[in-house]
Structure formats: structure tokens, C-alpha cells
Amino acid sequence: MSITSYVRSAVSPAKAYKLSPRQIHEDSIFLNLNESPYSLVPKAQAVLESFKTGNRYPDFSQVELRSVIGDYVGFAPERIACGAGLDDVFQILATLFIEPGKEVIISNPTFGMYETFFPLHGAKIVDVPIGPAPDFALDVDGIIGAINDNTAMVIVCNPNNPTGTFFPLEQIERLCENVSCPVAIDEAYAEFSAEHHLEFANKHDNAIVLRTLSKFAGLAGYRVGYGIFPEDMVPYVSAATPAFANVSGLSAAIAIACLEDLDTLKANRDEQVAERERVTSLLNEIEGVTAYPSSTNFVLFKLVDEETATSALAALAARHIYVRHYPQANLNIADHLRVSIGLPHENTAFLNALEETLANGGTS
Ligand SMILES: Cc1ncc(COP(=O)(O)O)c(C=O)c1O
């Protein structure tokens, strides 16, 4: 019998999460993965240069990291679980809640990892799509109506990736109040938004707030994410988390140093938010482009049709400027592109290139 016949049926290569390999050129401008464009804050850079204890295991249970994160968000460290990026915290959610055949409710278009990852654990994805542009409204009643005895969890991404929309807090609150299953609120982009859900983690015993240091703190390459779990879940969460939370000693030390320099992180964030507003209004000045308001570090914009979006994507890539396209028919945004906010000169280079490309019929 072939070795592959032993692989669980939930694991399908056809459904793997795919990203194109990074094209590295001297002048590449990466605006496709919502990364931070800033280098490490000085304190974290100093940690990186002096870190010498890679032969030792990290702090068991990442007590110090969880305590520094706890101080940052205002929760006891026991309520915090860490992982190697937020993607890895999804693993804790799956270990806690997913049995084969259980349902996970999501609202497309949203972060693609939910749809790829949870089915690996046998979950069935139930999509209650958000409404059309420009509102991209969350269908709270649709989600409540989709709950049944088989529901393992609802995941809401707020602010939502890739639309950039912030669903009003009252709606998320209504959702938490009207369902008894866990509601995981992915607020990976919380620091770029005027509002967040931290207080829900105290008010609602089914709310789990998910965050990452990849975006605001610029640590995408170091892989540190976390979740804030309900008080009653604490012993279960710690049983479901690997001994060192999959966070390396170096990544933990860098994350701690970053969170001790919040002034620099906030100044970077403020510049990005100002740039986001500049990019949004300049995009809207380009003929044939409609950009939507965003509460994140990226902007989704519509082009006249799918063909224009595909050719603009290729023309930008030919100039080594990378943005994101979502061709999947079920997402209904194939005529859109998503651009991450980079440094001011990168954003300007993108805007100029897009304008020129569209003026040339999207071909160069
Ligand atoms: C909504 C959302 N959640 C989670 C993640 C994953 O973040 P991390 O880098 O912490 O794994 C991303 C990354 O782009 C994201 O957009």
C-alpha cells in the first residue's frame, strides 16, 4: 500500500494555503502581506545582537512573555496563551474545540487561513458571507441562524482582512450575547483601528480575543501571536498549549524588548495610519479606482473589472511592486486588489506605478 494512503483524508494537497514565492530584487517593494515596513525597535535590535543562550530551552510556559503581553493588554498572564504567530494559536483553538465533523463559522471574504487550517482537523467550514461593497456588512443574524449542535466555534475577523472593514462593536457584542459557543475575534490589526475588543474578554465568557505581534510590532519574521481566553478555560488552554508555546527564546526576548518600547511602535503606527489615509484618498483620485475606508495597515480597492485587476497586478510585479489579488470566485472581489501600507516613498512609488499602468490600459 502506498505511504500516502495512510494520510488522514482531511489532509488534501489541493486545499493547501498557497502564497507565491517572494521575488527578491534590490528594489522590491513588498505590499502584499500586510507586514510592517519598519525595522526592529532599538531595544529589540540590541537583544538580537547580544542573544547568546540558544543552547537552552526557552522559559517554560513562556511565563515572562505572557506577563509582558498581559501588562500590555491589561489581563492576567494566566489568561494569555502564546504561539509562533497567531497562525499557531489557531492550533490551540483546534486542539480545544474541533472534533471531526464539527462546524466552524466564518464570513468570507476573510483571512484565508481559517478555511485552510481548521478542515485539517476535520472541521467543516460554514461560510456566512459579509455583504457587498462598499459596506461589507457582517451578517450577524445569518451567523446566529447558522449555529447548531455541531457548531464548534465562530471566527470573526475585526478589522476584517482583506476588506479593512471594522464591524461595529455592538454587532460583535450582539453575536457574543446570542450564541453560547466560543466566538474567536481575530483582531490582528487592532492597533491600527480606533476600537478593539479587549473588554469583551471580560464581559463575555465565550469571547476569545486573538492578536499578533506581526503587524503593529513588526515581528512577522519572529512569529509571536497570542490569544486572551475566558477565565474558566485557563486550565484547558494550558493543557492544549505546547510546553514552550512554539516561541523560540530569541523571539520571546525580542517580543519582550519591543513591548518595552511602545513609544516607538506607536509613532510607527501613527505614521502608517496617516499614510493609509493618504493612500486611500490618492487611490480614489485615480480614474477607475474605488478605495474603501480601512481600519488596518492595508487598503482594498476596486478596479473596473477582473481583467484590469489581473493585468495591473502583473504590471506592478514587473516593476517589482507586489500587491495582493483574490481571484477565487466565491470571494467576489476578483476585480479588487489589496495593498499594504509601506514606507511613504514605497506608497508613492506604488501609487505612481498604478496610475501609469492604468493609463496605459493596465499593460505596463
Ligand atoms: C487576520 C489575520 N489573522 C492572523 C494572521 C496571522 O498572523 P501571524 O503572522 O501572527 O501568524 C494574519 C496575517 O496576515 C491576519 O491577517
Side-chain angles (χ1 to χ4, degrees), residues 17 33-35 83-90 110-114 157-162 186-189 210-215 219-221 223-226 298 324 338:
Y17 191 79
L33 292 175
N34 302 340
E35 296 154 324
L86 188 43
D87 286 351
D88 193 44
V89 178
F90 298 159
T110 192
F111 184 45
M113 191 62 83
Y114 311 144
C157 185
N158 199 28
N160 188 38
N161 177 12
D186 181 345
E187 54 171 31
Y189 300 95
L210 305 172
R211 286 192 164 198
T212 177
L213 297 187
S214 292
K215 314 294 178 182
L219 299 189
R223 316 300 301 129
V224 184
Y226 58 99
F298 58 85
R324 187 79 185 264
R338 187 196 70 185

Side-chain angles (χ1 to χ4, degrees), residues 103-364:
E103 297 179 357
V104 172
I105 302 179
I106 65 165
S107 293
N108 268 322
T110 192
F111 184 45
M113 191 62 83
Y114 311 144
E115 208 163 355
T116 311
F117 178 73
F118 292 104
L120 290 173
H121 292 263
K124 177 176 169 239
I125 296 291
V126 175
D127 181 19
V128 179
I130 60 174
D135 296 336
F136 296 121
L138 188 67
D139 181 1
V140 179
D141 292 322
I143 296 175
I144 295 170
I147 302 275
N148 61 45
D149 290 346
N150 240 356
T151 308
M153 169 174 65
V154 175
I155 306 184
V156 183
C157 185
N158 199 28
N160 188 38
N161 177 12
T163 57
T165 325
F166 191 86
F167 308 124
L169 284 179
E170 310 82 75
Q171 296 183 359
I172 312 297
E173 176 123 60
R174 189 156 75 80
L175 178 60
C176 292
E177 278 167 359
N178 283 282
V179 305
S180 54
C181 70
V183 178
I185 306 162
D186 181 345
E187 54 171 31
Y189 300 95
E191 286 91 344
F192 300 97
S193 161
E195 295 173 291
H196 57 71
H197 307 79
L198 288 178
E199 67 176 50
F200 286 19
N202 279 336
K203 263 171 95 178
H204 303 287
D205 59 11
N206 56 346
I208 299 166
V209 177
L210 305 172
R211 286 192 164 198
T212 177
L213 297 187
S214 292
K215 314 294 178 182
F216 165 68
L219 299 189
Y222 290 97
R223 316 300 301 129
V224 184
Y226 58 99
I228 304 163
F229 285 82
E231 189 97 51
D232 290 349
M233 292 283 310
V234 166
Y236 298 90
V237 174
S238 88
T241 306
F244 305 102
N246 293 341
V247 179
S248 74
L250 176 62
S251 294
I254 284 181
I256 290 166
C258 267
L259 291 176
E260 284 168 355
D261 190 355
L262 283 177
D263 288 347
T264 307
L265 295 183
K266 285 181 180 165
N268 290 345
R269 184 270 316 275
D270 291 347
E271 179 177 71
Q272 272 194 293
V273 167
E275 277 295 288
R276 176 187 78 205
E277 298 309 307
R278 181 177 79 92
V279 168
T280 308
S281 72
L282 290 176
L283 276 170
N284 278 319
E285 283 177 21
I286 302 176
E287 211 188 315
V289 177
T290 307
Y292 306 110
S294 167
S295 295
T296 63
N297 66 345
F298 58 85
V299 177
L300 185 75
F301 59 97
K302 186 183 171 334
L303 296 160
V304 287
D305 53 22
E306 179 173 352
E307 202 188 323
T308 311
T310 323
S311 56
L313 178 80
L316 288 168
R319 294 164 187 240
H320 304 162
I321 298 175
Y322 303 98
V323 299
R324 187 79 185 264
H325 182 227
Y326 292 86
Q328 302 90 321
N330 67 317
L331 300 184
N332 277 324
I333 50 168
D335 50 352
H336 291 62
L337 292 173
R338 187 196 70 185
V339 63
S340 311
I341 300 301
L343 296 172
H345 75 270
E346 296 175 321
N347 303 329
T348 300
F350 153 73
L351 287 162
N352 291 341
L354 179 72
E355 192 166 11
E356 249 179 71
T357 297
L358 294 179
N360 295 340
T363 52
S364 59

Side-chain angles (χ1 to χ4, degrees), residues 17-25 28-33 35 313 317-318 320-324:
Y17 191 79
K18 293 190 186 80
L19 281 176
S20 318
R22 214 184 267 272
Q23 304 288 318
I24 310 264
H25 305 276
S28 292
I29 298 182
F30 297 111
L31 303 176
N32 53 340
L33 292 175
E35 296 154 324
L313 178 80
H320 304 162
I321 298 175
Y322 303 98
V323 299
R324 187 79 185 264

